[in-house]
Amino acid sequence: MSAYSISKIFPSDVASFKKIDQLLEQEGIRRDDNLDYTCAIFDEDLNVIATGSCFGNTLRCLGVRQDYQGEGLLNKIVSHLVNLQFERGNSHIFLYTKPCTAKYFTDLGFYEIVRLPKKISFMENKKSGFQTYLSKLAKNPWTGPRTAALVLNANPFTLGHQYLIEQAAAENDWLHLFIVSEDSSLVPFSIRKQLVQAGTAHLKNIIYHDTGDYIISRSTFPSYFLRDKEQVIESQARIDLTIFIQIAKELDISRRYVGEEPTSLVTSLYNQIMQEDLPKAGIDCITLPRKETAEGQVISASTARQAIKEGNWKLLERLLPQSSLDYFLSEQAKPVIERIQAADEVRHY
């Protein structure tokens, strides 16, 4: 084994990626769409016998050819990727794997956060990482009988988001508002958080939270060992909900609010799973109809991004609260507007 060395695979190396794909296929997985680094170990005939990849602070697409398993190649790949993460400044590392292989990563210093039997195991390299996250969550200044939660990306923050938050805040003593902090959206997290807080400053019973690494976005959820799109959506929803239920217990949350999704099949399925699973944990799932413009158009972040892309400021005035509109009319917003206008696709379905 000591003769084997690890090679970085560059995006232009089509031949090596073809061999990696063949190895992953033999292991019952496929290469993920979201990867920013890939490595491999070759044998003397230049066949790929082990591989692994990263995206952000996650390890992905790990595989060892069956006739080389037991020789420590997985350990070698994982150690290489962990060192790479440390060089990037990431000390908190996550990985996704099949439940049947989770035990191998336990031996390599990873700890299971949550598992979906026969589908996926979500792991981290800190034994008490999730418990530390739970303990740091800001709790209610004083307890109230009705405590609710709302999770949003706000890409960007619209009148629809504002309406949903206002309704939830009005119907409860306290509202825990979780803002997805993963920076995979066209509007950066720091700006999204700024716009959410500005657009809800008039509400005095909100407790703001960054989601951190435990509530992830659909765009970066791994799909490489799940068969179809619907299974990917379902798996992410159930992992998110399993984690959210533990958060809810920590914060005495008894209600979660979501907005209706008449146009998005993805979010509609996600909401359906929430409506099925949350009541089993004693949490009410309350779905509110989407806010519409005076002309009857459903207000959505996708529509707002499209309006920004097209420079349709008249439409934006009907979609955004004044605080968000003021931001996009400012000099500070120019890089974000350029990023949105340069994107090939700004609508998500």
Side-chain angles (χ1 to χ4, degrees):
M1 188 187 73
S2 60
Y4 296 125
S5 60
I6 296 177
S7 301
K8 175 182 177 180
I9 308 300
F10 292 91
S12 59
D13 191 347
V14 177
S16 292
F17 274 114
K18 185 176 181 179
K19 294 176 182 179
I20 288 170
D21 289 343
Q22 291 171 346
L23 169 58
L24 293 175
E25 186 177 350
Q26 291 169 7
E27 295 302 303
I29 61 179
R30 53 192 165 81
R31 186 153 44 99
D32 196 270
D33 293 334
N34 292 307
L35 300 175
D36 54 32
Y37 178 88
T38 295
C39 67
I41 297 176
F42 296 85
D43 66 9
E44 60 274 11
D45 297 319
L46 297 181
N47 297 307
V48 173
I49 57 175
T51 185
S53 298
C54 294
F55 181 74
N57 63 340
T58 67
L59 310 188
R60 304 185 175 203
C61 299
L62 298 150
V64 177
R65 207 169 82 183
Q66 289 186 0
D67 51 334
Y68 282 86
Q69 290 176 5
E71 296 192 20
L73 297 186
L74 179 63
N75 190 343
K76 196 175 181 73
I77 289 285
V78 170
S79 295
H80 171 76
L81 295 177
V82 167
N83 287 336
L84 173 72
Q85 292 287 2
F86 285 150
E87 289 172 5
R88 290 177 166 183
N90 297 326
S91 60
H92 197 179
I93 304 167
F94 298 82
L95 67 82
Y96 306 87
T97 188
K98 294 179 179 180
C100 61
T101 60
K103 60 181 182 294
Y104 300 117
F105 296 103
T106 299
D107 294 339
L108 297 176
F110 283 83
Y111 303 88
E112 193 169 71
I113 303 164
V114 63
R115 168 183 296 215
L116 297 183
K118 299 182 180 179
K119 289 187 178 180
I120 188 170
S121 174
F122 181 35
M123 309 183 77
E124 63 181 332
N125 69 332
K126 292 188 177 181
K127 186 175 183 179
S128 58
F130 184 51
Q131 288 303 316
T132 300
Y133 170 78
L134 289 178
S135 66
K136 288 181 178 178
L137 288 172
K139 298 177 174 57
N140 305 353
W142 57 84
T143 57
R146 295 172 303 175
T147 301
L150 206 159
V151 180
L152 76 163
N153 194 30
N155 180 36
F157 185 71
T158 68
L159 285 167
H161 295 120
Q162 188 181 60
Y163 167 77
L164 183 62
I165 294 167
E166 286 174 341
Q167 291 295 110
E171 295 174 6
N172 295 277
D173 297 293
W174 291 101
L175 176 62
H176 290 276
L177 186 55
F178 292 86
I179 307 166
V180 175
S181 53
E182 188 176 56
D183 243 332
S184 60
S185 301
L186 287 169
V187 182
F189 167 64
S190 60
I191 302 301
R192 288 187 285 111
K193 183 176 181 179
Q194 170 189 323
L195 297 184
V196 170
Q197 291 179 326
T200 58
H202 59 294
L203 303 171
K204 304 306 179 186
N205 61 337
I206 294 180
I207 303 167
Y208 300 94
H209 303 278
D210 301 348
T211 58
D213 294 297
Y214 295 102
I215 300 177
I216 61 176
S217 75
R218 270 161 244 159
S219 64
T220 57
F221 184 74
S223 59
Y224 50 88
F225 39 71
L226 299 169
R227 289 191 300 275
D228 54 49
K229 184 177 181 180
E230 187 167 310
Q231 193 179 60
V232 171
I233 298 165
E234 179 185 348
S235 295
Q236 194 213 334
R238 297 200 188 281
I239 280 200
D240 270 357
L241 291 177
T242 303
I243 290 173
F244 174 77
I245 287 167
Q246 294 184 61
I247 292 171
K249 290 178 180 176
E250 185 74 19
L251 299 176
D252 297 321
I253 292 167
S254 58
R255 294 173 167 184
R256 178 163 172 177
Y257 283 73
V258 296
E260 236 177 16
E261 287 292 345
T263 60
S264 171
L265 294 176
V266 173
T267 309
S268 178
L269 176 58
Y270 204 95
N271 287 354
Q272 179 186 326
I273 294 168
M274 268 197 278
Q275 290 160 1
E276 293 171 0
D277 285 9
L278 287 180
K280 297 174 186 176
I283 301 168
D284 294 329
C285 183
I286 300 171
T287 304
L288 296 180
R290 294 289 290 272
K291 185 176 178 63
E292 298 179 350
T293 64
E295 297 75 24
Q297 181 180 14
V298 170
I299 296 173
S300 72
S302 288
T303 306
R305 292 192 300 273
Q306 187 66 36
I308 293 169
K309 183 175 177 66
E310 297 171 356
N312 189 344
W313 297 102
K314 287 291 185 184
L315 176 57
L316 272 181
E317 289 175 2
R318 302 196 295 272
L319 300 176
L320 302 184
Q322 192 61 49
S323 51
S324 293
L325 189 61
D326 288 344
Y327 166 76
F328 282 106
L329 290 171
S330 71
E331 287 292 317
Q332 183 190 0
K334 282 189 174 180
V336 177
I337 292 173
E338 290 171 359
R339 184 179 181 183
I340 293 172
Q341 291 178 338
D344 293 330
E345 180 55 69
V346 297
R347 289 182 179 271
H348 300 156
Y349 295 97

